Amino acid sequence: MSKGLHMREVTMYYAEGNNQITALDHVSISVEPGEFVAVVGPSGSGKSTFLSIAGAMLKASEGDIQLNGNHISKLTEKELSNIRLHEVGFIMQSSNLVPYLNVLDQLLVVKRMAGTIKKEDKVFAIKLLEELGLGLKLKSFPEELSGGEKQRTAIARSLMNNPNIILADEPTASLDTKRAHEVVSLIAQEVKSRQKAAIMVTHDERMLEYCDRVYRMYDGGLSLAES
């Protein structure tokens, strides 16, 4: 079984009136466990569509997507929902934390969505948060956290179900330079130590030093950037 994320000749069309818009144009990429790659490109180049397809939120018009050995283009909606819950960890532009949950419960709610919360889940959540420097913030609510702390909570939450794929969508958009470096270096560190396949979509060229490879996206096409 092929681990990681493998997309081959993936194309996405949208109908707009009588026209057919190509959002993704024969995109191919492979990301193995322990690899952290970046995708950069201007607004409207197809990055959001690419990430939605990679994360099993959107079905491609053509092509093959393997996510940790699952050919996701052949799965039902229920199976895709299961894949999103157990195989993919998402880190969004803004941390997307639930306002009325404290830091520890932000992680435990992921387990509740997947079933029940066991004692070992709580132990794992606390260990994750301590690793990411949030050990003293377990009972804090989002409004009491700095921007960097919110994003670190979001990183911990993305790892809570021990997924095989991490997808980060502009994770530094709301952070200053120092916090941005902290957050992306933390993502890179977790990807390496936990052997996750990870893709970060970003406009922030300063963050590319943490990535193993950089791809550029233009008009729905994806190509490896020259180093």
Side-chain angles (χ1 to χ4, degrees), residues 55 62 70 93 105 118 126 160 167 176 180 191 194 207:
E62 294 171 10
N70 298 288
Q93 284 186 33
D105 286 338
K118 302 185 182 74
I126 292 169
M160 187 60 201
L167 299 175
D176 61 39
V191 165
R194 296 176 186 276
M207 298 303 124

Side-chain angles (χ1 to χ4, degrees), residues 196-215:
K196 309 297 181 190
I199 296 177
M200 173 176 67
V201 160
T202 185
H203 279 100
D204 197 339
E205 302 269 341
R206 300 166 302 176
M207 298 303 124
L208 302 183
E209 64 185 84
Y210 298 101
C211 300
D212 298 303
R213 290 193 306 287
V214 178
Y215 291 84

Side-chain angles (χ1 to χ4, degrees), residues 29-40:
I29 186 173
S30 280
V31 187
E32 302 292 344
E35 284 189 327
F36 184 30
V37 308
V39 173
V40 294

Side-chain angles (χ1 to χ4, degrees), residues 5 33 48 50 54 72 80 99 115 150 162 168 182 185:
L5 174 70
S48 295
F50 164 76
I72 63 175
L80 285 173
K150 286 178 186 173
N162 199 19
E182 277 177 15
S185 66

